[in-house]
């Protein structure tokens, strides 16, 4: 970009400016601020600044830089009086000094000299009673469009010039921190201050850091109001029967909730209040590596839609076509698009209290059944455990092979309070609304990683359909001797042998060894939570 050349949206940069400007935050020295641009204007600015390339079908292909996944080890939370005693400090909630945060903020402010800013205002939360006005301020135009895709940004919803944010994200992808002076783990930083209601992001352009920073903030503010915040997707059937799908990235939240026979509420983050469930976002950030039009036609169509951002996807410059099977940059390729791109998405982004909750686990050991029915105590045990696997580059440092992990609440990196806090809110809702809970394995069968194969998506969908339409309420079950939960003996459209994980192993001795080792991992992990977990929940774990 030529600094002297006039940018496409220069004349309309202040047209949608909020009366609550940047002075209150203390930002100064920047060259020009572009406020709440239209999709067309964001496109023009991104192309003008050579941040991306338009595909043949209209999507915008961009690169996030060196960081192509979340940088969990670079996320810190300021330890300050108003929130210090609330936060469960540890691996994902690393304490940070307030004076260091203030110094980094001043450095970022100085960094802005002569640079342009893009400000996108929005609303997080489809429930009018529990909405959080958010603002994202970034130096990259495409990240403004990303924010516009992911949150409620219509002028009528945000209030136009009267908009005042309650939480702000500064995302400066080219700004580098000083590990030594700023007490960081690297030059990358995600610094959260709940008292200031502010997040600082530097040295990463990965769009997921913006959305997950806002989600982390939601996980702090709303549970204080007794609202259960959840890392899950949600949809609703023709009877008004809502379903929730908990799981880490790569376990099937987006794929399985995108069902043409049900209305999509959202694919990643939701709240549950006394009226029902509601989405926090207005868009999807779907993983698109190996995405095919046959397996996922609706999501695939979104990758060929104007307004969609394709992050780290490979584009052929001659044909203008993208290759969704090319992982030369990362396996964690992403598409950001508004939910309205999915034809069966629900405009209200709200649903009734769920009838079914599904915990999605990617079992890298290949020993878990495809589905199991859980008692409420078992549901709480598995919610606190969060057994699954990290899949294909979704977090910095994760390789190609799935890595066994326990992620409390199926979203530990984004949860601020102790898992028991969220579990108690879930417990109250499970009992109050008599919710059926299931554990659905979308991982391996027939052996561990390198030996077993991922369970067929055809069989997974058939099993899920049977659980949601009530068919699995009409069949016989057997109690699993290892975990104590109930496993159906039959399921419509699924061979009986598929329901028995041991039957798919050629080496039964190896099967016994692997499941015994997994049980030991469960027990070892739960020791971290023994003091805060009710005895009846502890007893609901593996035998």
């Amino acid at each position: 970009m030529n600094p002297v050349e006039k940018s496409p949206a220069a004349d309309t940069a202040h047209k949608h400016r909020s009366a609550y400007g940047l002075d209150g935050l203390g930002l100064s020295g920047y060259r020009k601020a572009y406020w709440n641009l239209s999709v067309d204007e964001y496109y023009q600015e991104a192309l003008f600044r050579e941040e991306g390339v338009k595909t043949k079908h209209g999507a915008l292909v961009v690169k996030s830089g060196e960081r192509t996944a979340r940088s969990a080890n670079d996320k810190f939370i300021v330890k300050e009086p108003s929130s210090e005693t609330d936060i469960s400090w540890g691996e994902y909630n690393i304490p940070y000094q307030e004076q260091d945060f203030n110094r980094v903020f001043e450095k970022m402010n100085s960094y802005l000299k002569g640079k342009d800013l893009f400000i996108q205002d929005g609303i997080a939360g489809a429930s009018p009673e529990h909405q959080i006005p958010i603002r994202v301020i970034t130096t990259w135009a495409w990240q403004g469009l990303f924010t516009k895709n992911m949150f409620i940004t219509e002028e009528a919803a945000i209030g136009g010039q009267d908009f005042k944010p309650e939480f702000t994200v500064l995302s400066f992808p080219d700004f580098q921190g000083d590990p030594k002076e700023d007490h960081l783990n690297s030059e990358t930083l995600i610094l959260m201050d709940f008292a200031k209601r502010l997040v600082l992001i530097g040295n990463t352009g990965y769009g997921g850091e913006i959305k997950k920073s806002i989600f982390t903030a939601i996980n702090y503010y709303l549970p204080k109001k007794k609202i259960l915040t959840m890392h899950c997707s949600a949809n609703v059937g023709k009877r008004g029967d809502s379903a929730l799908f908990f799981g880490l990235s790569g376990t099937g939240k987006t794929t399985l909730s995108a069902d043409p026979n049900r209305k999509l509420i959202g694919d990643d983050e939701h709240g549950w209040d006394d009226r029902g469930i509601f989405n926090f976002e207005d868009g999807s950030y779907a993983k698109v590596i190996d995405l095919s039009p046959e397996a996922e036609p609706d999501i695939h169509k979104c990758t060929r839609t104007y307004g969609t951002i394709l992050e780290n996807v490979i584009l052929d410059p001659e044909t203008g076509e993208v290759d969704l099977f090319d992982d030369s940059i990362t396996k964690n390729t992403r598409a950001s698009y508004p939910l309205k791109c999915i034809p069966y998405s629900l405009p209200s982004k709200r649903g009734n209290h769920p009838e079914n909750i599904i915990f999605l686990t990617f079992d890298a050991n290949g020993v878990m059944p495809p589905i199991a029915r859980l008692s409420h105590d078992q549901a709480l045990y598995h919610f606190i455990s969060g057994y699954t696997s990290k899949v294909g580059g979704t977090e910095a440092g994760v390789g190609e092979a799935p890595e066994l992990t326990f992620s409390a609440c199926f979203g530990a990196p984004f949860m601020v309070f102790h898992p028991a806090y969220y579990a108690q809110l879930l417990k109250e809702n499970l009992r109050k609304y008599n919710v059926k809970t299931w554990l659905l394995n979308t991982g391996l069968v027939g052996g561990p990683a390198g030996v077993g194969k991922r369970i067929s998506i055809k069989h997974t969908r058939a099993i899920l359909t049977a659980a949601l339409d009530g068919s699995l309420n009409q069949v016989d079950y057997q109690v699993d001797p290892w975990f104590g939960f109930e496993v159906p003996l039959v399921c419509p459209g699924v061979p009986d042998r598929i329901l028995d994980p041991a039957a798919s192993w050629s080496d039964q001795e190896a099967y016994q060894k692997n499941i015994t080792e997994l049980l030991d991992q469960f027990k070892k992990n739960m020791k971290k939570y023994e003091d805060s977990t009710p005895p009846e929940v502890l007893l609901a774990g593996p035998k």
Side-chain angles (χ1 to χ4, degrees):
M1 168 189 163
N2 185 339
V4 180
E5 191 176 354
K6 187 177 181 181
S7 77
D11 292 338
T12 57
H14 293 113
K15 183 178 179 181
H16 301 289
R17 180 184 184 278
S18 166
Y20 186 83
L22 304 185
D23 294 343
L25 195 60
L27 294 182
S28 61
Y30 52 87
R31 191 181 76 90
K32 194 175 187 65
Y34 295 75
W35 289 80
N36 299 310
L37 300 183
S38 67
V39 173
D40 288 345
E41 289 170 329
Y42 275 128
Y43 257 72
Q44 293 165 10
E45 288 292 330
L47 296 173
F48 173 73
R49 295 162 194 271
E50 300 181 346
E51 294 177 4
V53 180
K54 192 175 177 181
T55 72
K56 175 182 177 181
H57 302 285
L60 183 68
V61 174
V62 302
K63 291 183 172 62
S64 65
E66 181 182 348
R67 300 295 178 119
T68 59
R70 288 185 297 102
S71 302
N73 292 331
D74 297 304
K75 174 188 164 188
F76 299 85
I77 298 177
V78 171
K79 200 168 188 177
E80 49 79 30
S82 72
S83 62
E84 180 177 352
T85 57
D86 293 329
I87 296 171
S88 178
W89 301 103
E91 178 184 3
Y92 294 113
N93 298 318
I94 307 171
Y96 198 66
Q97 296 301 311
E98 193 168 6
Q99 61 265 31
D100 291 331
F101 182 95
N102 294 338
R103 182 176 57 256
V104 173
F105 177 84
E106 291 305 323
K107 286 183 177 182
M108 295 182 86
N109 197 17
S110 298
Y111 163 84
L112 288 181
K113 186 177 181 179
K115 292 181 173 60
D116 291 340
L117 288 177
F118 295 89
I119 300 101
Q120 182 60 57
D121 295 329
I123 297 291
S127 169
E129 297 89 350
H130 308 300
Q131 292 179 333
I132 298 179
I134 58 102
R135 171 172 289 169
V136 175
I137 303 169
T138 177
T139 50
W140 284 7
W142 77 255
Q143 289 200 337
L145 176 59
F146 175 87
T147 308
K148 193 176 188 71
N149 280 350
M150 299 307 301
F151 297 95
I152 300 170
T153 59
E154 291 85 358
E155 188 168 347
I158 66 176
Q161 292 189 339
D162 294 329
F163 179 86
K164 183 177 181 180
E166 292 183 8
F167 193 78
T168 301
V169 177
L170 298 188
S171 177
F172 301 167
D174 292 322
F175 173 85
Q176 293 184 335
D178 184 327
K180 185 175 180 180
E181 183 181 34
D182 301 326
H183 303 114
L184 304 168
N185 290 330
S186 74
E187 293 175 332
T188 301
L189 56 100
I190 302 99
L191 309 179
M192 307 193 70
D193 189 323
F194 291 125
K196 292 184 175 67
R197 294 179 170 261
L198 180 65
V199 175
L200 310 179
I201 300 175
N203 197 46
T204 173
Y206 181 61
E209 297 292 10
I210 293 175
K211 75 180 241 92
K212 290 307 185 187
S213 292
I214 293 171
F215 183 47
T216 302
I218 290 171
N219 284 324
Y220 175 73
Y221 297 120
L222 289 192
K224 283 177 164 288
K225 299 167 62 177
K226 300 302 179 183
I227 308 302
L228 177 59
T229 54
M230 306 171 292
H231 186 222
C232 69
S233 58
N235 63 23
V236 60
K238 295 177 181 178
R239 297 184 292 104
D241 54 309
S242 299
L244 302 178
F245 305 79
F246 286 79
L248 291 193
S249 178
T251 58
K253 287 200 316 302
T254 298
T255 298
L256 295 177
S257 59
D259 181 347
N261 297 311
R262 297 173 65 86
K263 292 291 187 181
L264 178 66
I265 298 173
D267 79 332
D268 198 35
E269 304 166 3
H270 291 80
W272 190 353
D273 63 11
D274 57 4
R275 295 192 177 188
I277 57 176
F278 58 97
N279 195 351
F280 290 134
E281 299 183 307
D282 195 26
S284 177
Y285 189 51
K287 194 173 181 184
V288 293
I289 193 68
D290 298 335
L291 188 74
S292 71
E294 295 78 23
E296 297 176 276
D298 297 304
I299 298 176
H300 187 273
K301 186 177 179 180
C302 291
T303 67
R304 301 158 72 91
T305 301
Y306 181 76
T308 292
I309 300 170
L310 297 178
E311 193 173 342
N312 298 317
V313 172
I314 300 301
L315 173 74
D316 185 325
E318 295 184 2
T319 65
E321 297 277 5
V322 296
D323 184 352
L324 298 178
F325 295 88
D326 190 331
D327 62 359
S328 55
I329 295 179
T330 178
K331 282 186 173 294
N332 191 36
T333 54
R334 295 277 175 166
S336 164
Y337 51 85
L339 281 175
K340 63 184 179 183
C341 288
I342 300 293
Y344 43 86
S345 64
L346 198 61
S348 69
K349 296 173 284 294
R350 301 176 70 180
N352 298 322
H353 298 294
E355 289 189 13
N356 292 278
I357 288 178
I358 296 92
F359 296 145
L360 301 172
T361 181
F362 187 111
D363 176 28
N365 289 272
V367 297
M368 298 285 277
I371 193 168
R373 187 168 64 184
L374 309 176
S375 69
H376 285 172
D377 286 335
Q378 288 170 339
L380 294 173
Y381 181 94
H382 285 279
F383 178 71
I384 293 171
S385 295
Y387 167 65
T388 187
S389 300
K390 295 177 182 178
V391 181
T394 53
E395 188 175 300
V398 178
E400 294 187 7
E403 296 181 11
L404 182 152
T405 190
F406 290 90
S407 186
C409 311
F410 292 95
F414 325 118
M415 301 299 166
V416 181
F417 299 105
H418 191 283
Y421 191 98
Y422 303 99
Q424 179 60 33
L425 293 174
L426 177 61
K427 175 182 177 180
E428 294 169 4
N429 285 350
L430 289 179
R431 294 182 175 177
K432 185 175 182 180
Y433 304 109
N434 194 28
V435 186
K436 291 186 286 291
T437 55
W438 310 84
L439 187 67
L440 187 71
N441 175 21
T442 61
L444 305 180
V445 293
V451 177
K453 295 182 179 179
R454 190 163 191 180
I455 188 170
S456 160
I457 184 66
K458 175 184 176 182
H459 289 146
T460 297
R461 287 193 182 279
I463 291 168
L464 177 60
T465 297
L468 298 184
D469 69 13
S471 298
L472 285 188
N473 296 331
Q474 314 302 321
V475 305
D476 292 328
Y477 285 76
Q478 65 180 357
V479 176
D480 183 273
W482 305 95
F483 286 92
F485 45 46
E486 295 179 316
V487 179
L489 295 175
V490 296
C491 177
V494 180
D496 294 351
R497 61 179 177 79
I498 297 294
L499 300 173
D500 179 9
S504 62
W505 282 65
S506 58
D507 186 340
Q508 289 300 303
E509 186 176 340
Y511 169 78
Q512 299 277 345
K513 180 176 181 292
N514 271 265
I515 198 166
T516 301
E517 290 177 351
L518 179 59
L519 296 183
D520 287 341
Q521 292 287 342
F522 264 91
K523 293 171 183 176
K524 180 181 177 181
N525 174 71
M526 187 53 75
K527 284 188 179 296
K528 297 184 294 186
Y529 310 116
E530 279 183 345
D531 294 341
S532 57
T533 302
E536 64 271 19
V537 175
L538 293 174
L539 289 172
K543 307 305 176 186

